[in-house]
Amino acid sequence: MNHHHYLARIIIWIAGTLIQIPLITAVASSSSSSRERITFNFGWSFRTGLADWAPPDEPAPTKVDPGQHPPEAEPEYDTSTWQSIQLPHDGLIANSPSKTACPDGCSGRSYLPRHVLWYRKTFSLPAAWYDDDDGNKVVWLEFEGSFRNTTVWIDGQIVQSHDCGYTPFTVPLLMEEKEADHLYTIAIFVDPDNGDGGGVSKGSGWWYEGGGLYRSVWLN
């Protein structure tokens, strides 16, 4: 095959792919149009630190595993001392820069220790969704981005783990198991480290990487 024939085949393949993209988008849009897509960015509580608020001049911990059943994931946990925030959110800037905690600057020379992060929210679903006649009893929480290692609990049970800070992920919620007036509690633990040493690492890049639920979340 000569060079011109090879180039022509590549151009035809690219053109065919571009034609299919709007068709795929249209099918996905029509299949999801029966249920409203609702922002999930408001009404969150936030804390930095594994088991309590991280002291401002304390280095990030070496042990960052919250366990399977941390108290922060239980519905009755008291978050009255946590911050009220909305998404998108960078959890690392909740602390002030500290040369004591970051003598070598930490990631991006920001002097912000990469402490682990907690997010919590209590919510209910629209009553009309329980009356959906199409049999669709699964609700999806769509996370556009969380940096980095993320664990999600709903009503005290682990439902999802995600370890890439640059890709979206979804969390299923089974409506048929609850009454229409049920209050759900979602708890999210984020280890913002991007290195190999857990929270004590300074991150893998020379830039400031941020941490936490840095993109929007949707309920649909």
Side-chain angles (χ1 to χ4, degrees):
M1 182 183 297
N2 62 39
H3 174 73
H4 295 291
H5 287 169
Y6 181 71
L7 181 60
R9 292 188 63 179
I10 292 177
I11 293 173
I12 292 172
W13 180 84
I14 293 175
T17 302
L18 293 176
I19 290 173
Q20 293 179 46
I21 289 175
L23 296 177
I24 294 171
T25 303
V27 171
S29 176
S30 63
S31 65
S32 61
S33 61
S34 62
R35 180 177 287 167
E36 183 182 5
R37 190 170 186 247
I38 300 174
T39 180
F40 207 64
N41 286 346
F42 302 97
W44 290 89
S45 298
F46 166 79
R47 190 191 75 200
T48 176
L50 181 60
D52 202 350
W53 278 100
D57 290 326
E58 182 177 285
T62 56
K63 178 178 173 55
V64 294
D65 181 10
Q68 295 289 310
H69 301 285
E72 288 85 355
E74 298 301 324
E76 64 273 10
Y77 185 82
D78 181 12
T79 59
S80 59
T81 62
W82 292 27
Q83 289 181 355
S84 297
I85 58 100
Q86 68 183 51
L87 309 181
H89 182 256
D90 182 351
L92 296 187
I93 60 176
N95 283 335
S96 300
S98 171
K99 290 186 176 181
T100 301
C102 294
D104 61 355
C106 293
S107 69
R109 293 290 176 177
S110 63
Y111 290 93
L112 291 171
R114 305 187 67 79
H115 284 288
V116 294
L117 313 168
W118 280 102
Y119 295 87
R120 274 178 56 102
K121 177 174 177 170
T122 300
F123 65 99
S124 59
L125 300 177
W129 288 10
Y130 289 90
D131 299 326
D132 194 347
D133 293 331
D134 64 5
N136 185 8
K137 297 301 182 183
V138 179
V139 174
W140 295 95
L141 285 168
E142 177 187 346
F143 291 77
E144 292 186 350
S146 177
F147 201 89
R148 182 193 183 229
N149 297 328
T150 304
T151 306
V152 182
W153 291 261
I154 292 190
D155 292 344
Q157 301 299 316
I158 290 181
V159 293
Q160 183 66 282
S161 294
H162 190 72
D163 61 1
C164 180
Y166 300 106
T167 57
F169 62 96
T170 56
V171 174
L173 191 65
L174 299 179
M175 298 169 57
E176 61 187 10
E177 297 180 355
K178 305 295 182 182
E179 299 295 330
D181 60 351
H182 179 73
L183 286 177
Y184 296 88
T185 298
I186 184 170
I188 302 175
F189 175 81
V190 183
D191 176 5
D193 177 63
N194 196 26
D196 297 324
V200 73
S201 177
K202 307 303 186 292
S204 65
W206 52 264
W207 60 91
Y208 171 69
E209 296 164 304
L213 301 179
Y214 71 96
R215 296 290 300 273
S216 290
V217 180
W218 298 91
L219 178 67
N220 53 66

